Amino acid sequence: QVQLVESGGGLVQPGGSLRLSCSASGFTLDTYAIGWFRQAPGKEREGVLCISNSDGVTTYGDSVKGRFTISRDNAKNTVYLQMNNLKPEDTAVYYCAAGPWCNSVYVPPGYGMDYWGKGTLVTVSS
């Protein structure tokens, strides 16, 4: 059964950090590009970061540059999103998705991705 499962979300204070995990089962994650996306309350989905199957990284949002880092551990079949210096505007449901490649910033967020997780909620609030 093909699945992606996100974990690591929760409540964190502004300036704090969280590490999200995206674990795959039923397929080999290292052959896929894995993207992190988020959807804040009342807003459309936006791309965050994507890592290709050759470890190239695409940054979709300037707001996360220098604060968020994507990485993969193929041995664990897991991709991570390290989030530092979190801000209230980072509050969203965070999703990971697997697909053939990382899209450019001109493509709708998540377009063409094959598998999606159910999401994990990140709330940044004091």
Side-chain angles (χ1 to χ4, degrees), residues 7-55:
S7 63
L11 176 65
V12 64
Q13 293 184 336
S17 298
L18 283 175
R19 187 198 199 198
L20 306 184
S21 298
C22 174
S23 296
S25 62
F27 68 101
T28 302
L29 187 148
D30 64 2
T31 66
Y32 288 82
I34 305 296
W36 283 98
F37 306 86
R38 68 186 184 184
Q39 189 162 18
K43 299 181 66 177
E44 295 183 348
R45 180 201 297 157
E46 64 176 338
V48 181
L49 290 167
C50 185
I51 186 166
S52 74
N53 60 1
S54 58
D55 292 339

Side-chain angles (χ1 to χ4, degrees), residues 35-37 46-50 58-62 64 102-105:
W36 283 98
F37 306 86
E46 64 176 338
V48 181
L49 290 167
C50 185
T58 300
T59 302
Y60 294 114
D62 289 340
V64 309
C102 293
N103 294 320
S104 78
V105 297

Side-chain angles (χ1 to χ4, degrees), residues 10-16 18 67-68 83 85-92 94 121-126:
L11 176 65
V12 64
Q13 293 184 336
L18 283 175
R67 299 190 298 122
F68 290 12
M83 305 185 295
N85 192 24
L86 284 160
K87 303 175 180 180
E89 53 263 42
D90 295 319
T91 296
Y94 284 73
L121 177 63
V122 173
T123 302
V124 185
S125 176
S126 60

